[in-house]
Amino acid sequence: MTLPSTDAKLNLHAVCRLPTTWGEFQLHGFIDDDTGREHVALTMGHIADGAPVLTRVHSECLTGDGFFSRRCDCGPQLAAGMQAIAAEGRGVLLYLRQEGRGIGLFNKIRAYALQDQGADTVDANRMLGLPDDMREYTMVHTMLGLLGVSTVRLITNNPAKIEALRRLGIIVSERIALHVGRNTDNARYLDTKMRRMGHLADQHLESDPAVAPL
Ligand SMILES: [Zn+2]
C-alpha cells in the first residue's frame, strides 16, 4: 500500500493499530527514499485539526529502547513520551532511525567501550573521529506534514532540537520538560549532556529512588 505523499523523498507507506501498555496508537511507517531508512510515527487522537499537538521526536537507541540499558535515559524517555501522549489522548511520537545520535550502532558500541575506559560521551566520539551529534531532523518536517501537523508542543530537554525544528518551519509553541530515567549508571552521561551539549535541567523528577540527589 502506498498512500499519497507531499514529498517525493519520504513517503508514508502503511498504517496500522498498535495497542500498547498505555493505550492504542496508530503506527505509521515511512521510508526515506534518499537514505532507505524506515522511520515511524505513533499517533493518538485527532492530530490534524490545527491545534498544537503534544509531540516527542525520539531518535532510535536500540540499547536503551529495546534492551533496557541504564547507560542512557532513552528507554524511560520513550516510555514517558508515550505515557504523556496517552494521558492527553492526543499526540505524536516520531521515532527516527538515527541510532547513537546518528553515528550508528557499531560506532556507539565503540564509543561505549571508550567510556568504559574513562572518556565521557563527547570525548569518546572525538577519539573515534566522529561529531558529538550527527542527528538531523529534515524528515520531521515531512513526517509532520504528512500527518497534518504544523504546530507542536515539544517534549524535550534539548534546545538544539527546538532550534532545528524551528529552522525547518515547524512552529514550536511550547517546550515540555522531560526528566526521567536518571540512575547511578547514567548520571555522568546525563551531566555531560547538560555541561557540554547544552541540555536543560530545570527540574528533576527522579525515577530511580536509589539515586543520590545532585
Ligand atoms: Zn540511549
Side-chain angles (χ1 to χ4, degrees):
M1 179 175 69
T2 300
L3 301 178
S5 169
T6 57
D7 189 321
K9 295 179 181 172
L10 194 140
N11 292 285
L12 174 59
H13 280 270
V15 183
C16 72
R17 292 186 312 111
L18 193 73
T20 73
T21 300
W22 303 292
E24 183 169 301
F25 291 80
Q26 295 289 312
L27 178 65
H28 308 251
F30 299 84
I31 295 177
D32 186 324
D33 290 337
D34 282 341
T35 63
R37 287 181 176 166
E38 299 170 320
H39 304 295
V40 298
L42 290 174
T43 69
M44 186 178 282
H46 298 292
I47 56 171
D49 58 6
V53 177
L54 184 64
T55 301
R56 169 74 182 164
V57 176
H58 189 94
S59 292
E60 177 178 24
C61 173
L62 179 67
T63 46
D65 301 338
F67 298 147
F68 314 101
S69 168
R70 286 166 54 91
R71 296 195 73 129
C72 62
D73 56 349
C74 301
Q77 291 213 344
L78 176 63
M82 291 176 65
Q83 285 176 280
I85 291 166
E88 289 204 2
R90 180 175 178 273
V92 177
L93 186 141
L94 300 184
Y95 192 87
L96 309 178
R97 308 297 298 284
Q98 41 187 355
E99 171 68 52
R101 292 202 301 269
I103 65 174
L105 180 59
F106 183 64
N107 280 328
K108 184 168 85 169
I109 295 170
R110 294 169 72 205
Y112 276 169
L114 291 171
Q115 291 170 39
D116 287 341
Q117 296 165 28
D120 73 20
T121 182
V122 173
D123 288 332
N125 278 36
R126 290 178 184 173
M127 290 163 77
L128 293 169
L130 298 167
D132 304 335
D133 194 336
M134 290 180 69
R135 287 177 296 186
E136 60 98 16
Y137 298 101
T138 51
M139 74 291 265
V140 171
H141 183 255
T142 310
M143 291 170 77
L144 289 177
L146 289 168
L147 294 169
V149 175
S150 59
T151 304
V152 299
R153 298 161 52 224
L154 193 66
I155 305 170
T156 187
N157 304 321
N158 184 357
K161 190 182 289 181
I162 296 171
E163 275 313 302
L165 266 52
R166 284 183 171 154
R167 277 197 299 273
L168 291 167
I170 298 162
I171 301 165
V172 182
S173 65
E174 184 184 351
R175 180 183 81 87
I176 295 164
L178 179 65
H179 290 285
V180 295
R182 174 177 284 267
N183 63 52
T184 47
D185 292 304
N186 69 18
R188 181 171 177 240
Y189 163 76
L190 297 182
D191 290 342
T192 299
K193 281 207 296 190
M194 284 185 270
R195 186 168 47 84
R196 302 190 68 179
M197 303 181 76
H199 284 227
L200 303 170
D202 48 7
Q203 59 175 311
H204 290 279
L205 304 174
E206 305 291 351
S207 64
D208 185 340
V211 172
L214 285 175

